[in-house]
Amino acid sequence: MEQSAGEPDLVADVVVAGAGGAGLAAALAAGDAGLTTVLLEARETFREDSNTAMSTSMIPAAGTRAQAAAGVVDSDELFLDDIRAKTAGQADPVVARALVAAGPALIEWLEYRWRVPLELVTDFLYPGHSVYRCHAVSDRAGSTLHRHLLEAVGTLDEIVLACPARLIDIEIDDDRVVAAHVARPDGTMERIATAYVVLATNGFGAKPELVARHCPEIVDGLYFGGEGSTGDALALGERVGADTSCLDAYQGHGSVAHPHGVLLTWATVVHGAVLVNTDGVRFADESPGYSELACSVLEQPDARAWMVYDERVDEACRPFADYQRCLEAGAVQEAADVEALASVVGCDAALLAATMAHVDDCAHGAADDPFGRSAWEAPLVAPYRAVQVTGALFHTHGGLCIDGEARVLAGGVPVEGLYATGGAAVGISGRGAAGYLAGNGLLAALGLGFIAGRHAASARAGQPAA
């Protein structure tokens, strides 16, 4: 690590690197406790292309007021059981328990302290969740959630947003953080004296060489995440000898409209849609989750597939901002019957008719699905809707090892004053793509940011005044 004995250009209680959801939550938690906080953001386009802004705003939490009002019975242990089941027991147990425990307080803090208008999503049950526990803004748009958080940051004098500015080094002395080194695009360098640094720079999804090294099966997929996710936290962590875990974990998605580059909500599948390839043949059980379907779609001819559904599903999906963008982009095509649908897909009409007939039998309980799908909300009936889709990488879910307070671990021991949140840290998705549970990304981002900022504030309060 670079060491410097010179005078600092600035002094702050906390430096947060990254202004996505994780960084904004950490800055809000620290700033609200009275800590002077410098919030660094390397990209001026972060309002549009952070992973939070590109999400569907879903934050899972168990035991919230909204759940109680809706009569939903949930608990920490039930949520943990769902995480264990989805990840085959591979999720980091310390981080999972910390995030699940923090969930209700996080939701209440967002709603009542920062006036983020969250609501319990009860229009359908996301794959892997045994009860309704995802909380989201009404249009299900991450950009709306991100805007509310950014507006909240603007209300605190304790927080200064520096953009564009990139954290390039962390100064350690006597095994604890003493300063942050920052670079501006014009080459200007700044040293900020600080006792606490929060790494909220996300993962490495925008760095193809790192994806190829750690998640090779998705390297050829469309990247559909923030361009700032270039592995900065991994590089900084390596300099302090930080431990890493689950670097092969990521969230994929099997339904990004092609060539439009717009997300088609997985609510289509939950409401009964099916995926067929360009031959008009189904190739997988669509119901377990969208993350693991990414590679299945990429394995099809030309790495393409068609999401097929009907007017009922179309109506159910219209409240989603993502679906509205699909409609606006012209990605949703209509077909009066199976023959017209085959023309849209570009496949043999008889083969597609056989596929849809078998889907109808499965949905009516008259046949078993050879791929094992048992969740059919209702049969699909003409006229149909179809969207051409491809498989994509959204963001990585492995990273720096942390403890239950979001402190970075080196040799299993916390590096005093250094935190990692969101995609910069090991998440709760276990290994690979199949462990992703809807909302894991935002829970890790906002939850760990919330935990880190509060822990820094508590630690600062316990120190003698400077």
Side-chain angles (χ1 to χ4, degrees):
M1 292 297 296
E2 178 182 343
Q3 300 294 315
S4 174
E7 289 296 317
D9 299 292
L10 186 66
V11 177
D13 292 321
V14 181
V15 172
V16 179
L24 294 176
L28 285 169
D32 199 34
L35 273 63
T36 56
T37 303
V38 176
L39 177 59
L40 307 172
E41 174 50 54
R43 295 173 55 82
E44 292 182 285
T45 57
F46 75 100
R47 292 170 179 82
E48 295 81 35
D49 70 1
S50 73
N51 280 350
T52 296
M54 297 175 72
S55 75
T56 56
S57 79
M58 301 289 172
I59 311 166
T64 66
R65 293 187 190 187
Q67 284 180 307
V72 176
V73 178
D74 200 2
S75 68
D76 286 6
E77 286 306 314
L78 183 57
F79 191 2
L80 286 168
D81 283 345
D82 287 347
I83 292 171
R84 295 184 192 108
K86 194 69 168 67
T87 64
Q90 296 174 334
D92 185 302
V94 173
V95 178
R97 189 165 288 280
L99 284 173
V100 169
L106 170 66
I107 297 298
E108 186 162 318
W109 180 69
L110 291 171
E111 285 191 286
Y112 297 100
R113 175 64 184 96
W114 303 115
R115 304 300 180 190
V116 179
L118 298 174
E119 60 187 30
L120 183 67
V121 179
T122 58
D123 41 0
F124 62 88
L125 196 60
Y126 275 91
H129 289 289
S130 56
V131 298
Y132 297 125
R133 64 165 67 99
C134 286
H135 302 70
V137 292
S138 61
D139 64 357
R140 314 293 193 260
S143 56
T144 301
L145 172 63
H146 188 265
R147 175 173 53 80
H148 280 291
L149 294 171
L150 196 56
E151 289 173 353
V153 162
T155 67
L156 293 181
D157 293 337
E158 290 83 358
I159 303 175
V160 174
L161 173 61
C163 177
R166 184 178 183 181
L167 178 68
I168 60 168
D169 208 353
I170 305 164
E171 194 173 322
I172 303 290
D173 188 27
D174 196 23
D175 298 323
R176 69 164 299 117
V177 170
V178 295
H181 293 255
V182 180
R184 299 278 189 169
D186 63 2
T188 302
M189 307 293 290
E190 298 172 340
R191 178 175 179 264
I192 305 175
T194 185
Y196 306 99
V197 170
V198 181
L199 300 176
T201 54
N202 212 275
F204 53 86
K207 196 84 165 179
E209 56 266 42
L210 290 179
V211 175
R213 183 186 310 167
H214 301 297
C215 312
E217 71 273 16
I218 197 68
V219 70
D220 292 327
L222 171 72
Y223 178 56
F224 200 77
E227 292 302 322
S229 301
T230 55
D232 285 12
L234 282 182
L236 290 165
E238 184 178 0
R239 298 183 189 183
V240 300
D243 306 325
T244 61
S245 182
C246 297
L247 293 180
D248 61 340
Y250 65 92
Q251 181 202 343
H253 210 293
S255 65
V256 174
H258 177 81
H260 312 84
V262 181
L263 176 64
L264 174 64
T265 172
W266 204 250
T268 51
V269 169
V270 177
H271 288 306
V274 296
L275 282 166
V276 301
N277 61 22
T278 52
D279 293 326
V281 177
R282 282 181 66 234
F283 51 88
D285 175 3
E286 302 89 349
S287 60
Y290 42 81
S291 184
E292 49 266 64
L293 261 293
C295 284
S296 295
V297 171
L298 291 172
E299 290 167 358
Q300 302 311 302
D302 299 320
R304 304 285 181 262
W306 287 85
M307 189 73 79
V308 177
Y309 50 103
D310 60 9
E311 287 186 335
R312 176 188 60 82
V313 178
D314 172 88
E315 287 298 323
C317 293
R318 286 181 177 261
F320 288 77
D322 287 330
Y323 191 66
Q324 288 297 324
R325 285 192 283 270
C326 277
L327 292 169
E328 292 164 5
V332 181
Q333 300 192 47
E334 299 183 8
D337 51 29
V338 170
E339 185 172 331
L341 182 61
S343 179
V344 168
V345 173
C347 67
D348 180 76
L351 189 56
L352 181 59
T355 296
M356 297 306 293
H358 187 70
V359 166
D360 189 65
D361 287 343
C362 291
H364 279 99
D368 293 329
D369 178 30
F371 300 106
R373 179 170 176 174
S374 59
W376 305 91
E377 185 174 275
L380 301 177
V381 297
Y384 298 105
R385 302 289 185 272
V387 178
Q388 185 175 220
V389 297
T390 190
L393 166 64
F394 273 32
H395 48 86
T396 56
H397 273 230
L400 305 180
C401 292
I402 56 173
D403 66 7
E405 305 292 352
R407 296 181 295 180
V408 172
L409 302 177
V413 178
V415 179
E416 291 301 323
L418 183 60
Y419 303 85
T421 67
V426 61
I428 54 173
S429 295
R431 311 294 299 270
Y436 180 77
L437 192 64
N440 273 7
L442 274 182
L443 178 58
L446 300 177
L448 291 175
F450 176 66
I451 290 169
R454 287 197 162 190
H455 187 269
S458 176
R460 181 69 179 84
Q463 293 179 348

